[in-house]
Amino acid sequence: MSTNNKTNRQKDMSFIEKARRAQIIECAIETIVEVGYAQASLGKIAKRANISKGVISYHFLNKEELLEQVVIEYYLACHSFVYPQIEVLTSPKDMLQKYIEAHLTFADKNRKHVFAVMEIVSNGRTSDGKLKFATDHDENIFQPIEDILRLGMREGAFWEFSAKSARVIALTIRQSIDGFSIELMRNPQINVKEYIQELVTIFDKATRK
Amino acid sequence: MSTNNKTNRQKDMSFIEKARRAQIIECAIETIVEVGYAQASLGKIAKRANISKGVISYHFLNKEELLEQVVIEYYLACHSFVYPQIEVLTSPKDMLQKYIEAHLTFADKNRKHVFAVMEIVSNGRTSDGKLKFATDHDENIFQPIEDILRLGMREGAFWEFSAKSARVIALTIRQSIDGFSIELMRNPQINVKEYIQELVTIFDKATRK
Amino acid sequence: MSTNNKTNRQKDMSFIEKARRAQIIECAIETIVEVGYAQASLGKIAKRANISKGVISYHFLNKEELLEQVVIEYYLACHSFVYPQIEVLTSPKDMLQKYIEAHLTFADKNRKHVFAVMEIVSNGRTSDGKLKFATDHDENIFQPIEDILRLGMREGAFWEFSAKSARVIALTIRQSIDGFSIELMRNPQINVKEYIQELVTIFDKATRK
Amino acid sequence: MSTNNKTNRQKDMSFIEKARRAQIIECAIETIVEVGYAQASLGKIAKRANISKGVISYHFLNKEELLEQVVIEYYLACHSFVYPQIEVLTSPKDMLQKYIEAHLTFADKNRKHVFAVMEIVSNGRTSDGKLKFATDHDENIFQPIEDILRLGMREGAFWEFSAKSARVIALTIRQSIDGFSIELMRNPQINVKEYIQELVTIFDKATRK
DNA sequence: AATGAATGAGCATTCATTCAT
DNA sequence: CATGAATGAATGCTCATTCAT
């Protein structure tokens, strides 16, 4: 199992190994934020970390693995932050509200990391040109919102939209969350609390009976 | 003034010149869609156009100008398509609905071009690392929606949201329009008409009294 | 047909293109002879040619193609030199003698090229580690000698060796020809005429009734 | 003297030291056979031995010494195997026959080692580009055959070839022995006994009165 | 108006070697 | 004894750009 694999692998890593990888990942994130995905070379990442390029190759199989690690770390951290807050809730309305609030809070607290992940996810392609993270995204990102929407519909908490409606609403919510991260980069002094409140209101109105 | 400059320049162009530029722009779009912004080199664009790399340099100052041209062409075409449809309307509600509908229709009819522009806008950076199209975007893209929202608020067509609310709503609408283009690439067989209807409904609910 | 392809390709090449390729191939040969296969980098080849590394990439798809071209050029030149001399003969004994003599003469006149080809053929591997030119060698190199041997056997010109004997004799002759090129590099002042005579004698004795 | 040096050095080695060196040498051989001289890096050798790269550097001065050791070990083992078999003979004819037979038998029983040595000997160069093992080869390899040939000539066992003939015959015999190893790699299911017989016959015919 | 040719910087990656622990 | 960590040079290759023709 891949999760298990991962755990074992990390267990097997020495403290120094983990620290170096963390440092490199951190510098990769900062480099991507600063110069953008296309210009973020291993050389620039190494320079930022004050290490030689070879060190990155020593700790990561290749550039791909490094960037994947940035993405994976985000998925895990984001999931760990968001889902405990949702699972304790019972009302779909509250769950949707918390979903938005938690994701925006996470994006706010991890601005660079989240922005870097979006750069990687939207630019990372396989050698045949296809977007690498497209399917993962689909399954792991949209599904949970749709689940909440469907639950709410069954319980009569939302207006009676169709399955297709649910999908579009889910997409729109996700886009507004990702869009928030972008807006945060362009406009760092945003009042986050207010933004959250606005977004919650918008989707409360959009879904309520 | 830049607009004037532009016009003069285009006037001065021969028919062949314009045709070549159009062909190159077309191929640039297709290349970006196919391999992504980071991998879209002048070499690949030239190969797709069956011309030598030098031709591109001959017709465009540099890569930057070519990509800018892709974006500018989009802005002009999109504006020409959307605004005549809005300007004939008087009700803010109708205007908002038409704004969404027209943009989605345009994105559907110009899938590749719109997707390419998004790639360029979200990746294009100046040599100091800053996003090149960030401010243009702000002024040309968000303002019109905010105008509609403000108008509707003054006329009592929408609930009484604040200026900040208006901004968030505008952002969310734009994000949902851009997100539609991305979704269209991932999932080309989407029922566009339905999608438009869903989105119109969402933002009608989100803004109505 | 590959030969035809080749011809067409070369026909399509401009004079300059052909000259550059020839120059690069020449420098590749000299570099390989001077520093050996493993140390013959594109950088060193470019430096010897007083051109930038990029020029090589411009004229050849990659290093592999360049080295293959060195080999192919040799095969064609060697074949053109050797076979006309053999085809006019009717006696298998004479043919074998001429085979040896012509190959050694060619190797003598094209010392560097032949040595370089041997370096490439004996070191060139595919990404899975297998020798790249092994099979070509088999078919194009050993077959002709075996043909002569078989013909001679049928005509009673040689002693009645078996098919397996023929193969070992063919191998041994080839090895002595390739070995001559290596010896020529180690010991450039060899008296080639004498060497040829000795080798002809050895294999005349080894095959005669 | 280097031999003495060597002996002292090996005497000083602990059991573990010797075992480690043997293991590393073994893995170096296998790596060279599998991927070729140019691609046989210390990293790959270490991976095959399940040790860290540093271990190799610890036990060997550098890559050069490791490869030299592979060659030296072969020289010693080959010599120990071949010469006792020859020294007991008195007839030059028998000695030549045994020389061929013993070398081919050794090459058969130590396929990988012998092939690796040939890769090293034909590729190993000093920093100034000259073949490292060229002279060693000359002295240790060709001399013994020439000795047998000269002896046989003095005794009237062979036809009366000149000194130069003797050298070419010696070269040809060595080339056929080395060539056998290469053929063995390309074609591992060769009938070795038969091959030996064929080669013995060839050079018996080539040298007899 | 177009092209082929060349450049030189930059890219990801591999490598032999060194060294502190 | 052995290792993990790091280095810095070198490798093959791609790229945007320039320029003579």
Side-chain angles (χ1 to χ4, degrees):
Chain A
M1 194 148 289
S2 119
T3 315
N4 208 7
N5 234 332
K6 170 120 224 317
T7 310
N8 286 340
R9 204 183 166 195
Q10 287 203 339
K11 254 191 219 145
D12 288 354
M13 284 184 196
S14 72
F15 172 72
I16 282 190
E17 169 79 7
K18 276 193 273 187
R20 259 284 185 254
R21 280 175 70 100
Q23 179 206 12
I24 294 168
I25 287 174
E26 188 61 27
C27 291
I29 289 169
E30 278 172 7
T31 305
I32 290 171
V33 169
E34 204 149 282
V35 305
Y37 177 89
Q39 280 75 36
S41 70
L42 291 188
K44 281 179 192 147
I45 295 169
K47 189 164 285 172
R48 179 176 290 267
N50 266 323
I51 55 177
S52 91
K53 259 195 304 180
V55 182
I56 299 180
S57 293
Y58 178 76
H59 290 281
F60 294 89
L61 198 59
N62 49 33
K63 192 183 186 182
E64 212 184 347
E65 200 216 330
L66 168 56
L67 298 188
E68 268 173 24
Q69 217 49 237
V70 174
V71 175
I72 289 170
E73 232 187 33
Y74 154 80
Y75 273 118
L76 296 179
C78 183
H79 195 269
S80 305
F81 178 80
V82 169
Y83 284 85
Q85 298 184 55
I86 293 179
E87 275 162 6
V88 297
L89 303 174
T90 50
S91 143
K93 234 175 144 70
D94 292 349
M95 288 165 86
L96 184 60
Q97 175 168 344
K98 183 57 81 181
Y99 181 93
I100 294 169
E101 182 199 317
H103 272 100
L104 261 60
T105 304
F106 184 85
D108 176 37
K109 289 197 195 149
N110 305 275
R111 293 176 179 214
K112 288 182 180 177
H113 198 156
V114 174
F115 185 79
V117 166
M118 286 174 47
E119 288 274 303
I120 296 168
V121 166
S122 64
N123 283 293
R125 305 229 179 182
T126 54
S127 59
D128 68 341
K130 299 207 187 312
L131 283 161
K132 255 182 75 174
F133 298 92
T135 51
D136 285 337
H137 216 62
D138 243 52
E139 292 170 23
N140 300 325
I141 296 291
F142 298 136
Q143 209 53 54
I145 320 185
E146 289 193 73
D147 288 344
I148 294 173
L149 293 174
R150 263 195 300 272
L151 176 68
M153 220 168 26
R154 274 203 308 275
E155 293 191 3
F158 304 139
W159 62 279
E160 302 88 29
F161 37 73
S162 66
K164 281 192 179 162
S165 300
R167 168 124 283 233
V168 177
I169 295 171
L171 283 167
T172 307
I173 291 172
R174 264 322 300 186
Q175 290 155 7
S176 71
I177 289 168
D178 291 345
F180 170 69
S181 278
I182 296 171
E183 186 59 20
L184 216 40
M185 280 294 144
R186 260 199 314 226
N187 203 356
Q189 81 287 6
I190 281 181
N191 183 323
V192 176
K193 237 179 176 172
E194 267 179 34
Y195 200 110
I196 292 173
Q197 198 45 58
E198 306 292 355
L199 220 49
V200 164
T201 302
I202 290 170
F203 288 106
D204 176 56
K205 285 176 180 290
T207 53
R208 77 157 152 245
K209 282 192 168 181
Chain B
M1 191 147 287
S2 117
T3 315
N4 207 9
N5 235 331
K6 172 121 224 317
T7 309
N8 286 341
R9 203 179 166 198
Q10 285 202 341
K11 256 190 219 144
D12 289 352
M13 284 184 197
S14 74
F15 172 72
I16 281 193
E17 168 80 7
K18 277 194 271 187
R20 263 279 188 252
R21 281 175 70 99
Q23 178 205 15
I24 293 168
I25 287 174
E26 188 61 25
C27 291
I29 289 169
E30 276 171 9
T31 305
I32 290 171
V33 169
E34 206 151 278
V35 306
Y37 176 88
Q39 281 74 37
S41 69
L42 291 187
K44 283 180 192 145
I45 295 170
K47 189 165 286 171
R48 183 177 289 265
N50 267 324
I51 56 177
S52 94
K53 261 196 301 182
V55 184
I56 299 179
S57 295
Y58 181 78
H59 290 281
F60 295 90
L61 195 60
N62 49 30
K63 193 182 185 183
E64 211 183 348
E65 200 216 331
L66 167 56
L67 299 189
E68 268 173 24
Q69 217 47 238
V70 175
V71 175
I72 290 170
E73 233 188 32
Y74 154 81
Y75 273 118
L76 298 179
C78 184
H79 194 270
S80 307
F81 178 81
V82 170
Y83 284 86
Q85 298 184 56
I86 292 180
E87 276 162 4
V88 297
L89 303 175
T90 50
S91 143
K93 234 174 142 71
D94 290 350
M95 288 163 86
L96 184 60
Q97 176 167 344
K98 184 55 80 181
Y99 182 93
I100 293 169
E101 183 199 314
H103 272 101
L104 260 60
T105 303
F106 184 85
D108 176 36
K109 288 198 196 148
N110 305 276
R111 294 177 179 215
K112 288 183 180 176
H113 198 156
V114 174
F115 185 79
V117 166
M118 286 174 47
E119 288 273 304
I120 296 167
V121 166
S122 63
N123 283 293
R125 305 231 180 180
T126 54
S127 60
D128 68 341
K130 299 208 186 313
L131 281 161
K132 260 181 72 174
F133 299 90
T135 51
D136 285 337
H137 216 62
D138 244 50
E139 291 171 22
N140 302 325
I141 297 292
F142 298 137
Q143 209 54 53
I145 319 184
E146 289 192 75
D147 288 346
I148 295 174
L149 293 174
R150 262 195 301 273
L151 176 67
M153 216 167 31
R154 273 203 309 276
E155 295 191 1
F158 304 139
W159 61 278
E160 303 88 26
F161 37 73
S162 64
K164 282 192 180 164
S165 300
R167 168 124 282 232
V168 176
I169 294 171
L171 283 168
T172 307
I173 289 172
R174 266 320 302 185
Q175 290 154 8
S176 72
I177 290 168
D178 292 345
F180 169 71
S181 277
I182 297 171
E183 188 60 18
L184 215 41
M185 279 295 146
R186 259 200 315 226
N187 203 358
Q189 82 287 7
I190 281 180
N191 183 323
V192 177
K193 238 179 177 172
E194 265 180 35
Y195 200 109
I196 293 173
Q197 198 44 59
E198 305 292 354
L199 219 49
V200 164
T201 304
I202 289 170
F203 288 106
D204 177 56
K205 285 178 181 288
T207 52
R208 77 157 153 246
K209 282 192 169 176
Chain C
M1 194 148 289
S2 120
T3 315
N4 207 8
N5 234 329
K6 171 120 224 313
T7 309
N8 286 341
R9 204 185 164 193
Q10 287 204 338
K11 253 191 223 145
D12 289 353
M13 284 184 197
S14 71
F15 172 72
I16 282 192
E17 169 81 6
K18 275 195 273 187
R20 259 282 186 256
R21 280 175 71 100
Q23 179 206 14
I24 293 169
I25 286 174
E26 189 60 26
C27 291
I29 290 169
E30 278 171 7
T31 305
I32 289 170
V33 169
E34 205 149 281
V35 305
Y37 177 89
Q39 279 75 38
S41 69
L42 293 186
K44 283 180 191 143
I45 295 169
K47 190 165 285 172
R48 180 176 292 265
N50 266 322
I51 54 177
S52 92
K53 260 192 305 179
V55 182
I56 300 180
S57 293
Y58 178 75
H59 290 282
F60 294 89
L61 198 59
N62 49 30
K63 193 184 185 183
E64 210 184 347
E65 199 216 332
L66 168 55
L67 299 188
E68 267 172 24
Q69 217 47 238
V70 174
V71 175
I72 288 169
E73 232 186 35
Y74 153 81
Y75 272 117
L76 297 178
C78 183
H79 194 270
S80 306
F81 178 80
V82 170
Y83 283 85
Q85 299 184 54
I86 293 180
E87 274 163 6
V88 297
L89 304 175
T90 50
S91 143
K93 235 174 143 68
D94 292 348
M95 288 164 87
L96 185 59
Q97 178 169 341
K98 185 56 82 183
Y99 181 93
I100 294 168
E101 184 200 315
H103 272 99
L104 262 59
T105 302
F106 184 84
D108 176 36
K109 289 197 197 150
N110 304 276
R111 294 176 179 213
K112 289 183 180 178
H113 198 156
V114 175
F115 184 79
V117 167
M118 286 174 46
E119 288 274 303
I120 296 168
V121 167
S122 63
N123 282 293
R125 306 227 180 185
T126 53
S127 60
D128 67 343
K130 299 206 187 313
L131 283 160
K132 255 183 76 172
F133 298 90
T135 51
D136 285 336
H137 216 60
D138 245 51
E139 290 169 25
N140 301 325
I141 297 292
F142 298 138
Q143 208 54 53
I145 320 185
E146 289 193 74
D147 288 345
I148 295 173
L149 294 174
R150 263 195 298 273
L151 176 67
M153 221 168 25
R154 273 202 308 274
E155 295 192 0
F158 304 139
W159 61 278
E160 303 88 28
F161 38 72
S162 64
K164 280 191 181 162
S165 300
R167 168 125 282 233
V168 177
I169 294 170
L171 284 167
T172 307
I173 291 171
R174 266 319 303 184
Q175 289 153 9
S176 71
I177 289 168
D178 291 345
F180 169 71
S181 277
I182 297 172
E183 188 60 19
L184 217 40
M185 280 293 145
R186 259 197 317 225
N187 203 357
Q189 82 287 5
I190 282 179
N191 183 323
V192 176
K193 237 179 177 174
E194 267 180 33
Y195 200 110
I196 293 173
Q197 198 45 59
E198 306 291 356
L199 219 50
V200 164
T201 303
I202 288 171
F203 289 105
D204 177 55
K205 285 177 181 288
T207 52
R208 77 158 151 243
K209 280 194 169 174
Chain D
M1 189 148 290
S2 119
T3 317
N4 206 10
N5 234 333
K6 170 118 229 315
T7 311
N8 286 341
R9 203 180 165 196
Q10 286 204 339
K11 257 192 218 140
D12 290 351
M13 285 184 195
S14 73
F15 171 73
I16 281 191
E17 169 80 6
K18 276 193 272 186
R20 262 280 189 251
R21 282 174 69 99
Q23 178 206 15
I24 293 168
I25 287 173
E26 188 61 26
C27 291
I29 290 168
E30 278 171 8
T31 305
I32 289 170
V33 169
E34 207 151 279
V35 305
Y37 177 88
Q39 280 75 37
S41 68
L42 292 187
K44 281 180 193 145
I45 295 169
K47 190 165 285 172
R48 183 177 288 265
N50 267 323
I51 55 178
S52 94
K53 261 196 299 183
V55 184
I56 299 180
S57 296
Y58 181 78
H59 289 282
F60 296 89
L61 196 59
N62 49 30
K63 192 183 187 183
E64 211 183 347
E65 200 217 331
L66 167 56
L67 298 188
E68 267 173 25
Q69 218 47 238
V70 174
V71 175
I72 289 170
E73 231 187 35
Y74 154 80
Y75 273 119
L76 298 179
C78 183
H79 195 270
S80 306
F81 178 80
V82 170
Y83 284 86
Q85 298 185 54
I86 292 179
E87 276 162 5
V88 297
L89 303 175
T90 50
S91 144
K93 235 174 143 69
D94 291 350
M95 288 165 84
L96 185 59
Q97 176 168 345
K98 183 58 80 183
Y99 181 94
I100 294 168
E101 182 200 316
H103 272 100
L104 261 59
T105 304
F106 185 85
D108 177 36
K109 288 197 196 148
N110 304 277
R111 294 176 179 215
K112 288 183 181 176
H113 198 155
V114 174
F115 185 80
V117 167
M118 287 174 46
E119 288 273 304
I120 296 167
V121 166
S122 64
N123 283 294
R125 306 231 177 178
T126 54
S127 60
D128 67 342
K130 300 208 184 315
L131 281 160
K132 260 181 72 172
F133 298 92
T135 53
D136 286 337
H137 216 61
D138 244 50
E139 293 171 22
N140 302 325
I141 297 292
F142 298 137
Q143 209 53 54
I145 320 185
E146 289 192 73
D147 290 345
I148 294 173
L149 293 174
R150 263 195 298 273
L151 176 67
M153 218 168 28
R154 273 202 307 276
E155 293 190 3
F158 303 139
W159 61 278
E160 303 88 28
F161 37 72
S162 65
K164 280 193 181 162
S165 300
R167 167 124 284 233
V168 177
I169 296 171
L171 283 168
T172 308
I173 291 171
R174 266 320 304 185
Q175 288 153 9
S176 71
I177 290 168
D178 291 345
F180 169 70
S181 278
I182 296 171
E183 187 60 19
L184 217 41
M185 279 294 146
R186 260 200 314 226
N187 203 357
Q189 81 289 5
I190 281 180
N191 183 325
V192 177
K193 241 183 175 168
E194 266 180 34
Y195 200 109
I196 293 173
Q197 199 44 61
E198 305 292 356
L199 219 49
V200 164
T201 302
I202 289 170
F203 288 106
D204 177 55
K205 285 176 180 289
T207 55
R208 75 155 154 245
K209 282 194 168 176

